[in-house]
Amino acid sequence: MKAKMLTYTRQDSPVHRLTGATKLIIFAVWSVSAMITYDTRCLLLMLLFSLAVFRISRVRFQDYAFVLYFILLFFLLNHIAIFAFSPLEGTRIYGTRHDLLHLAGRYTLTAEQLFYQFNIALKYAVVIPMALLFLLTTDPSEFAASLNRVGVNYKIAYSVSLALRYIPDIQQDYENISFSAQARGIDISRKEKLPKRLKNIVSILLPLILTSIERIEKISTAMELRGFGTGRTRTWYRARPFTRSDYAALCLMVGISAAATIITFYDGSRFYSIF
Amino acid sequence: MSKTVIEFTDFTFKYRAQQEPTLHKINLKIHEGEKILIVGPSGSGKSTLAHCINGLIPFAYPGEISGTLTVKGTDTKELGIAGLSEVVGTVLQDPDGQFVGLTVGEDIAFSLENAAVPVREMHERVEAAARAVDIQELLTASPQELSGGQKQKTMLAGVLVSNVDVLLFDEPLASLDPYTGTGAIELIDRVQRETGNTVIIIEHRLEEVLHRPVDRIIVMNEGVIAADLPAAQLLSSPLLAESGLREPLYLTALKYAGCEITPEMNPQHLDGIRLETGAARLRAWYEASEVPQEAEAAPVLLELRDLTFGYDKQAPVLQGLSFSVRRGEMLCIAGRNGAGKSTVSKLICGFYRPSAGSILLNGRDLAADTIKERAEHIGFVMQNPNHMISMTLIYDEVALGLKLRGFAEEEIRGRVHKVLQICGLYEFREWPVSALSYGQKKRVTIASILVLEPEVLLLDEPTAGQDYRHYNEIMEFLRGLGSTGITVIMITHDMHLMLEYAERTIVLAEGRKLADARPEVILTDRDIVGSANLKETSLFALAVKAGLNQPVEFVRRFIEYDRGNRADES
């Protein structure tokens, strides 16, 4: 029925035990570092590191399989697009040209292009495990508290938590509304022509929007009655104090990204060349 | 005399958008530790009164106020919603709308989080509050995993946790089944005795609330206090009927038998009631009452054969369900949450496909029919009318189904006008839907289905959230449809509805059919009542108490007689 996508499962591992805020910061720093560097040596080391962390977390393959396939599909499309639009990007960057195979017209496969695209593939491979880990090992209840901790206003942070709370309810509303619409003859399947279909979708969206507004009014009244938004700050039931391992993980991360940056820019260019 | 907690003095309130005040010169004192029940029909001002106490008025719903309202000696205008929320804890009607946390624990903690209570202290207080309502095992459960009763317990813990003085319940029974509702009333009673809080319950289901004693009942009608009496006095007076409220069924039965209700009888609870000559009178009435006629059996219209369905194979929602419905019959499907009630309706309409078994209409298998084709024979009315309405004008809304089926403009107009007349909406045909009340919207949705001239009308909780007057209106309307040959199937846990309008009730439990019998048989059978989260009807208990030999038959004759009375009134 429903594909289980990126749902948090309660497990015990060193990664799960880190606080949400730590994981959020690590994920952000890690992604930026991986985006900046084109240094193959750094990327390879970072890949090893992220795979090791992934292993430690013991998340199960079935929990992320669907999303992983989805990402791989985009990964592939991205590579085809890079080659299609800029087949000699590698040559431009590295300043040399070693032809391997002439394909057609302006499309020639060069060693530089292969190396360049290999680096891009590595970047993906470095970031994906961390992104998956952040989503799979952070309790949704901790999202809001983590955002608030890294400086986001608590009202905005709480709206993230509210969205997570009410998405299943709104999905249920949508199902009910679309059933009753279909029973009355509003067809939103492919059988209907596109303009008609769009019009029909609008007539389903109207009640959905109205019921959602009604829901929002109820929730905001309920929240106000329980004192939301009166203080300048608030505490979080699910907030956890930073432990020694949080500080250790953060230090390690800062160290790695600093090292990666230094190595990358040591010779003045962020592209590491083997040519 | 104990201290006054809440005091209204010459209090008048008018909503900004309205011409007339909703509350007129209210004078009311509520003392510390009292348990008050406020009853009244829809629009009587009882919810407005509650909103004044918790500060939603005037801070969230602005309007004009004259006179004063003080809570613990301070004028509410000076306190604000946040200030009031430290004194008055409100449990709203709809537990889903109020459940803001991702888990039970977070939701209970919500008000503490907002007050910036340190995390360690917060955990201790949440645990204590959860224990007080007996939900400590479920602190990490998400709202989707909870039953209605468990959600309500969470709500109650969520206000208890901030040590309020006053607990305000806005229609606590509205979204609960009868059994869970009884549990809620018992829980409120226990919590009040343990904490000594002042409790205010707003509710129109008098009989259910009186399951546990209250100190005073305040009757609201048309914005004024129509009565402020102890339960025994109120039930002995004609004030309830004058305000359009329903008295407990057992008292109606006693009145039919010619008994006068007096405060000395203890009429507020069946366990403590003193019948004396009443028993003999009931017996005499029973013997004199007519034996109800068996209705002629009409041909079978809809038949379910061995229906099985499940989202995953390990946990089927329905297992081998079979039943049949006759033409023109009024049928109820009952069962606790998760028993498979709404799944049955979704299978009949074709929203889901059964994994085994078949559904037959007039002997023809519906398996190959699409949702749209089935809808021409079987109309489905959802519980929430806002889920169904997609046009802005009433006429367009009702005409939509016909337009989409490509009927000629002339024919559409004729059919829509006819249906609007049947539903009593003809005068409003050019109105926007948004100008209607909830009950009228419900009728618009019924009209938009009836216009397709279905043979079967399937309704999910047709009377949810309606007061006695509107309940009567909708149900008499549906009964009128029944007599024109339309088959009406209702999914409900409203016992009054079942008893008074259904010819037959099917009870589901864990995806199987548990019973299929006349409602009075069902509602007097302890085992069935227990496994379907229903409650034994008080009529049965009365008959037993009066020593009648055939209590089930007594219930049946009462309903038959009462139906006659009701039809005469309307």
Side-chain angles (χ1 to χ4, degrees):
Chain A
M1 273 305 276
K2 282 174 197 157
K4 264 192 108 186
M5 295 196 301
L6 285 185
T7 39
Y8 166 77
T9 35
R10 201 163 293 142
Q11 269 175 304
D12 190 37
S13 80
V15 181
H16 284 80
R17 279 197 292 271
L18 292 177
T19 66
T22 307
K23 277 179 275 198
L24 181 62
I25 297 168
I26 288 180
F27 170 58
V29 171
W30 185 261
S31 308
V32 169
S33 311
M35 283 302 126
I36 289 172
T37 184
Y38 274 88
D39 192 307
T40 318
R41 297 160 303 179
C42 287
L43 285 171
L44 280 170
L45 286 174
M46 284 168 85
L47 176 64
L48 284 179
F49 180 77
S50 72
L51 288 177
V53 176
F54 204 74
R55 183 67 188 271
I56 292 169
S57 75
R58 292 199 293 263
V59 291
R60 286 169 314 182
F61 181 66
Q62 76 240 38
D63 287 341
Y64 60 87
F66 180 79
V67 178
L68 186 65
Y69 292 137
F70 202 70
I71 296 174
L72 286 178
L73 178 72
F74 272 90
F75 171 75
L76 198 68
L77 286 175
N78 189 358
H79 274 278
I80 294 171
I82 292 175
F83 188 70
F85 289 107
S86 188
L88 296 174
E89 186 69 22
T91 307
R92 201 181 58 74
I93 291 170
Y94 300 109
T96 55
R97 179 166 179 162
H98 299 81
D99 287 8
L100 297 176
L101 179 69
H102 181 72
L103 295 168
R106 66 192 191 99
Y107 292 104
T108 303
L109 192 64
T110 64
E112 285 77 6
Q113 184 71 10
L114 274 184
F115 185 62
Y116 167 65
Q117 296 211 341
F118 170 69
N119 277 313
I120 291 186
L122 268 183
K123 281 165 178 285
Y124 265 95
V126 167
V127 175
I128 291 169
M130 285 301 193
L132 288 176
L133 269 190
F134 173 61
L135 293 169
L136 288 167
T137 64
T138 308
D139 190 330
S141 305
E142 262 190 72
F143 271 131
S146 315
L147 284 172
N148 187 218
R149 184 167 224 153
V150 299
V152 178
N153 179 303
Y154 80 81
K155 289 182 192 171
I156 296 168
Y158 203 81
S159 64
V160 175
S161 171
L162 272 186
L164 290 170
R165 158 71 184 87
Y166 284 100
I167 284 170
D169 288 20
I170 290 174
Q171 279 174 336
Q172 188 66 47
D173 281 352
Y174 174 76
E175 192 188 74
N176 282 336
I177 291 167
S178 90
F179 279 161
S180 92
Q182 287 174 56
R184 290 172 71 187
I186 300 176
D187 194 352
I188 49 164
S189 69
R190 291 220 178 78
K191 275 190 246 164
E192 200 68 77
K193 288 199 190 76
L194 193 64
K196 188 78 188 288
R197 209 167 124 204
L198 286 177
K199 214 180 130 200
N200 288 346
I201 288 175
V202 171
S203 57
I204 288 187
L205 285 183
L206 184 74
L208 185 66
I209 291 168
L210 290 179
T211 45
S212 300
I213 290 175
E214 204 181 328
R215 211 179 256 289
I216 291 165
E217 270 172 18
K218 264 190 210 157
I219 299 162
S220 55
T221 322
M223 288 172 67
E224 221 172 326
L225 277 176
R226 294 164 79 185
F228 185 78
T230 47
R232 289 171 56 86
T233 54
R234 88 198 285 273
T235 47
W236 303 84
Y237 179 69
R238 294 301 301 269
R240 286 186 289 163
F242 272 30
T243 60
R244 205 175 292 159
S245 51
D246 283 296
Y247 290 116
L250 284 172
C251 289
L252 183 62
M253 190 50 52
V254 170
I256 290 178
S257 68
T261 316
I262 291 167
I263 295 171
T264 306
F265 288 103
Y266 187 70
D267 53 2
S269 159
R270 63 190 185 110
F271 295 99
Y272 168 77
S273 174
I274 50 167
F275 303 105
Chain B
M1 198 85 209
S2 54
K3 276 196 298 190
T4 303
V5 193
I6 294 168
E7 184 169 8
F8 287 88
T9 320
D10 282 334
F11 188 88
T12 300
F13 176 76
K14 182 168 89 64
Y15 283 102
R16 190 181 276 169
Q18 277 172 359
Q19 299 287 324
E20 293 293 311
T22 306
L23 296 176
H24 297 272
K25 300 232 167 209
I26 301 289
N27 283 296
L28 177 66
K29 273 187 193 173
I30 295 172
H31 305 288
E32 209 170 63
E34 260 194 309
K35 189 176 176 193
I36 306 274
L37 169 61
I38 301 179
V39 294
S42 308
S44 62
K46 64 179 191 306
S47 299
T48 306
L49 197 71
H51 292 161
C52 293
I53 296 173
N54 63 29
L56 286 179
I57 289 175
F59 300 104
Y61 310 130
E64 278 167 40
I65 293 177
S66 68
T68 55
L69 165 59
T70 58
V71 172
K72 285 184 109 181
T74 318
D75 197 301
T76 55
K77 276 178 270 185
E78 288 155 33
L79 284 167
I81 295 190
L84 272 169
S85 74
E86 285 161 27
V87 185
V88 182
T90 313
V91 177
L92 294 172
Q93 195 183 114
D94 165 27
D96 263 322
Q98 200 182 181
F99 204 120
V100 289
L102 284 162
T103 59
V104 170
E106 285 167 78
D107 194 76
I108 297 175
F110 188 70
S111 59
L112 299 182
E113 291 180 326
N114 294 330
V117 171
V119 178
R120 180 169 303 168
E121 185 194 336
M122 176 153 42
H123 278 264
E124 282 162 14
R125 284 168 70 176
V126 166
E127 288 243 335
R131 261 198 306 278
V133 301
D134 197 24
I135 197 162
Q136 68 274 25
E137 309 291 326
L138 292 168
L139 281 178
T140 55
S142 73
Q144 281 81 17
E145 300 166 42
L146 301 180
S147 69
Q150 289 166 334
K151 279 183 202 158
Q152 205 179 45
K153 281 184 177 178
T154 309
M155 300 299 100
L156 180 53
V159 297
L160 286 176
V161 79
S162 34
N163 300 328
V164 290
D165 301 293
V166 180
L167 296 175
L168 179 66
F169 295 88
D170 191 359
E171 308 221 4
L173 302 176
S175 49
L176 301 181
D177 60 56
Y179 173 80
T180 314
T182 310
I185 294 297
E186 286 167 5
L187 177 65
I188 293 171
D189 192 60
R190 182 167 63 78
V191 165
Q192 193 217 12
R193 275 187 281 112
E194 283 166 9
T195 59
N197 286 332
T198 309
V199 169
I200 303 169
I201 304 171
I202 317 264
E203 187 48 79
H204 59 88
R205 303 191 198 185
L206 194 58
E207 182 173 339
E208 282 86 339
V209 180
L210 289 180
H211 175 64
R212 284 286 179 271
V214 299
D215 296 316
R216 275 192 289 159
I217 302 179
I218 289 154
V219 182
M220 293 288 299
N221 197 14
E222 295 177 0
V224 298
I225 293 178
D228 178 355
L229 294 168
Q233 264 89 355
L234 178 69
L235 293 173
S236 314
S237 74
L239 285 161
L240 276 182
E242 283 166 17
S243 306
L245 291 163
R246 153 166 269 185
E247 63 189 358
L249 271 184
Y250 60 88
L251 291 183
T252 314
L254 283 169
K255 283 183 185 168
Y256 284 161
C259 298
E260 199 194 338
I261 312 295
T262 58
E264 291 71 42
M265 284 172 71
N266 284 332
Q268 68 275 24
H269 202 289
L270 198 52
D271 288 345
I273 200 167
R274 287 214 298 270
L275 288 176
E276 288 162 8
T277 59
R281 282 173 193 260
L282 278 172
R283 188 169 302 128
W285 179 85
Y286 171 69
E287 273 150 18
S289 63
E290 284 171 37
V291 181
Q293 302 272 306
E294 279 302 329
E296 242 177 274
V300 169
L301 179 68
L302 183 71
E303 194 181 353
L304 277 64
R305 277 192 200 153
D306 275 327
L307 219 52
T308 298
F309 174 81
Y311 300 97
D312 72 76
K313 289 232 160 61
Q314 274 75 42
V317 184
L318 289 180
Q319 285 182 70
L321 179 70
S322 303
F323 66 84
S324 57
V325 191
R326 296 179 181 282
R327 185 175 287 280
E329 200 174 13
M330 273 185 109
L331 180 89
C332 272
I333 300 178
R336 68 170 73 168
N337 282 346
K341 290 175 303 195
S342 40
T343 309
V344 174
S345 61
K346 284 176 176 160
L347 285 169
I348 294 177
C349 294
F351 300 152
Y352 300 152
R353 299 269 160 189
S355 40
S358 50
I359 302 169
L360 290 85
L361 186 77
N362 287 319
R364 194 176 65 83
D365 194 334
L366 290 179
D369 289 13
T370 62
I371 296 176
K372 189 176 169 185
E373 283 160 354
R374 290 185 200 211
E376 276 145 40
H377 307 283
I378 303 162
F380 184 43
V381 180
M382 304 225 159
Q383 181 178 343
N384 184 350
N386 294 331
H387 282 166
M388 299 184 66
I389 294 171
S390 56
M391 307 302 271
T392 38
L393 292 182
I394 292 172
Y395 177 89
D396 293 341
E397 177 63 29
V398 178
L400 182 67
L402 293 176
K403 278 190 186 148
L404 288 165
R405 282 171 175 75
F407 282 91
E409 200 61 41
E410 276 306 295
E411 172 157 18
I412 293 178
R413 184 177 305 275
R415 275 167 77 169
V416 170
H417 281 182
K418 197 175 125 207
V419 163
L420 286 175
Q421 267 155 357
I422 296 173
C423 299
L425 293 165
Y426 186 72
E427 305 87 86
F428 306 120
R429 64 192 180 283
E430 300 301 334
W431 282 33
V433 180
S434 54
L436 299 181
S437 71
Y438 187 86
Q440 287 168 324
K441 275 189 193 169
K442 187 103 197 171
R443 264 190 285 159
V444 170
T445 59
I446 297 176
S448 66
I449 296 299
L450 278 181
V451 80
L452 299 174
E453 296 175 357
E455 294 165 81
V456 183
L457 197 59
L458 198 61
L459 301 109
D460 193 0
E461 291 292 353
T463 56
Q466 310 277 311
D467 69 2
Y468 183 49
R469 192 182 308 154
H470 293 109
Y471 160 86
N472 252 347
E473 245 176 63
I474 290 180
M475 289 316 298
E476 285 300 322
F477 168 67
L478 289 176
R479 196 144 72 110
L481 290 180
S483 62
T484 63
I486 293 180
T487 307
V488 181
I489 303 176
M490 295 166 288
I491 295 162
T492 187
H493 48 228
D494 184 331
M495 300 196 354
H496 287 303
L497 188 164
M498 221 178 281
L499 205 51
E500 292 167 351
Y501 290 96
E503 291 160 36
R504 195 151 60 91
T505 295
I506 288 169
V507 179
L508 301 182
E510 279 144 37
R512 295 169 192 278
K513 187 168 82 173
L514 187 71
D516 180 350
R518 295 192 55 86
E520 64 270 12
V521 178
I522 303 249
L523 290 175
T524 52
D525 183 319
R526 246 181 219 151
D527 290 339
I528 299 174
V529 159
S531 51
N533 270 15
L534 296 166
K535 227 175 66 187
E536 199 177 73
T537 167
S538 63
L539 290 169
F540 179 75
L542 176 73
V544 171
K545 200 172 167 103
L548 300 184
N549 294 329
Q550 288 171 294
V552 179
E553 184 60 20
F554 170 80
V555 175
R556 182 166 178 203
R557 292 194 191 174
F558 168 84
I559 295 300
E560 198 65 31
Y561 181 80
D562 190 51
R563 240 178 227 169
N565 258 7
R566 201 186 299 269
D568 292 344
E569 276 169 35
S570 56

